[in-house]
Structures are given as C-alpha cells and as structure tokens.
Amino acid sequence: MKFFVDSADVAAIRELNDLGMVDGVTTNPSLILKSGRDIVEVTKEICDMVSGPVSAEVVATEAKAMIAEGLKLAKIAPNIAVKVPLTWDGLSACKALAGEGHRVNVTLCFSAAQAILAAKAGASFISPFIGRIDDNHYDGIELIEDIRIIYDNYDFKTEILAASIRSVNHIIDCARIGADVVTAPPAVIKAMASHVLTDRGLELFLKDWAKTGQKIV
Ligand code: G3P
C-alpha cells in the first residue's frame, strides 16, 4: 500500500519523507489556502523533495481551461499528477491530458459509477472521499470495496487513491480492502504509531530499568 500525504505543509511532509513514509503527496485548493503559499512555489518545493507523484489541482470548470491549467501545472515538475474534478468537463480534460502522457488524478469521487467513468477516461488515480461520505451518513469504506471489485473485474489500471481520510481505522480498512493508495493528513499518519499499551509498557520498562541503576551508554 502506498502512502501519500494530504498536505501542502512542507515541514510536515519533510518530517514524514525523512522517515521514508512518503510515496507521494496530494494537494487541493483548500490545502494551498491553508499553507498561505503561492501554488507554483510550494508545489515545486514539494516536487523537489518527494520523488513520487504530487497532485496539483486545477480550478477551472470548463474542459478547455482545465487543460490549459493542467498543462501549466504539469510544467512545474515531471512528478506532477494533474488533479481534475469528477465532472463531465473534468473527464474530458482527463482524457486529453492523459492522452498527452500526463498523470491525472480524478478527484471528488463519491460513487462507483463516477469511478468507472474516470477509469474509462484514462485516469492514473481515482480519489473517492471517504470522510465526506461518512459525514453525510453513507459508508465511505463500502465505496472503496465496490470500486476495488469493479476495477478488478475489468482489470482497470487506474489506482484507487482513498482520500478524505479522517482516522487510523480508515487506513486499516483501506489496506484490508486493497486500496492502492491512501492519502492522509500528517497527523493521521503519525497517529498510526500510537497505542495505549505501547505507552504503558514503555513506562513500566523505564521504571524497572531505573531500579537496576544501570546505564547502556
Ligand atoms: O485531497 C482531498 C481530500 O483528502 C480532502 O479531505 O478532509 O477535506 O474531506 P477532507
């Protein structure tokens, strides 16, 4: 399973990247806003740091303008994946950009039907938004399961990039189902290391060690 970091915070990405945890990065207009940085500058900095795909999202809503923005974003670095929304125009832009050899991440996917169309349009990645589906009282994980079955039935090469990850359990469920990639905020990735029994066990070991009066170095 590949780990992408869902962030435009360079310091947070670097911390995980230095540990070898980062296979790619996803950004979106809200994350660029949060970073307070210029989209081209911050995306370039991330692309220079991370060798895997870095998704940068278009903001135009018509296919022609999306393609123009996608081509500009793709020039930032060779590892850019152009992110387009799952609209009819977005699918058209996906087809055109993929046809020119660019990686395309089709985002804002909320149904299996949308995921089929993205695969047909040549997307490298489909991004179903698990958390936002759960927020609306549907089952985000069930959508990942459905897309996995459908893509496997027809040997679609589009990678399932589970997005809008809110918890460690989301990541475990995605791994169990066989999502190709999860993109998660840095805090959720770091939370994977925490366990109350690890903390309790460590506390006990340190207490006993102190009683020995020994030192290792
Ligand atoms: O990159 C898009 C996605 O992961 C958004 O997540 O938490 O804003 O629903 P969220």
Side-chain angles (χ1 to χ4, degrees), residues 6 28 83 129 132 163-164 166:
D6 200 23
N28 62 38
K83 213 170 173 188
F129 275 31
R132 293 194 197 182
S164 189
R166 302 280 167 76

Side-chain angles (χ1 to χ4, degrees), residues 1 141 167-178 182 192:
M1 165 182 253
I141 292 297
S167 66
V168 171
N169 281 344
H170 272 161
I171 297 178
I172 302 303
D173 288 341
C174 286
R176 203 179 279 138
I177 293 161
V182 289
M192 292 173 78

Side-chain angles (χ1 to χ4, degrees), residues 3-79:
F3 265 4
F4 287 6
V5 187
D6 200 23
S7 177
D9 178 337
V10 174
I13 298 167
R14 181 168 290 117
E15 187 189 355
L16 293 167
N17 193 47
D18 286 350
L19 284 179
M21 300 287 177
V22 179
D23 300 305
V25 173
T26 50
T27 67
N28 62 38
S30 306
L31 293 171
I32 296 293
L33 172 70
K34 204 169 158 194
S35 77
R37 305 269 315 267
D38 172 81
I39 183 170
V40 174
E41 272 175 34
V42 72
T43 307
K44 170 106 185 76
E45 210 176 315
I46 296 168
C47 287
D48 288 346
M49 182 197 335
V50 172
S51 51
V54 175
S55 291
E57 188 162 345
V58 304
V59 289
T61 53
E62 283 166 16
K64 219 172 142 193
M66 283 183 190
I67 295 165
E69 288 184 355
L71 291 174
K72 179 161 180 198
L73 293 170
K75 279 201 187 100
I76 294 174
N79 53 335

Side-chain angles (χ1 to χ4, degrees), residues 37-166:
R37 305 269 315 267
D38 172 81
I39 183 170
V40 174
E41 272 175 34
V42 72
T43 307
K44 170 106 185 76
E45 210 176 315
I46 296 168
C47 287
D48 288 346
M49 182 197 335
V50 172
S51 51
V54 175
S55 291
E57 188 162 345
V58 304
V59 289
T61 53
E62 283 166 16
K64 219 172 142 193
M66 283 183 190
I67 295 165
E69 288 184 355
L71 291 174
K72 179 161 180 198
L73 293 170
K75 279 201 187 100
I76 294 174
N79 53 335
I80 283 285
V82 178
K83 213 170 173 188
V84 302
L86 211 155
T87 58
W88 203 249
D89 281 77
L91 291 170
S92 169
C94 173
K95 179 85 187 144
L97 290 163
E100 287 188 33
H102 299 291
R103 270 185 287 210
V104 182
N105 174 358
V106 179
T107 189
L108 289 167
C109 170
F110 294 93
S111 77
Q114 290 179 317
I116 294 171
L117 293 178
K120 300 291 280 180
S124 296
F125 302 103
I126 182 68
S127 291
F129 275 31
I130 299 177
R132 293 194 197 182
I133 292 173
D134 289 356
D135 291 345
N136 284 277
H137 315 295
Y138 295 97
D139 189 341
I141 292 297
E142 197 175 289
L143 175 59
I144 302 294
E145 272 169 344
D146 287 348
I147 299 172
R148 181 74 283 156
I149 290 167
I150 293 166
Y151 279 11
D152 288 350
N153 279 348
Y154 298 100
D155 203 20
F156 284 135
K157 300 295 178 215
T158 303
E159 292 188 62
I160 303 173
L161 195 173
S164 189
I165 297 280
R166 302 280 167 76

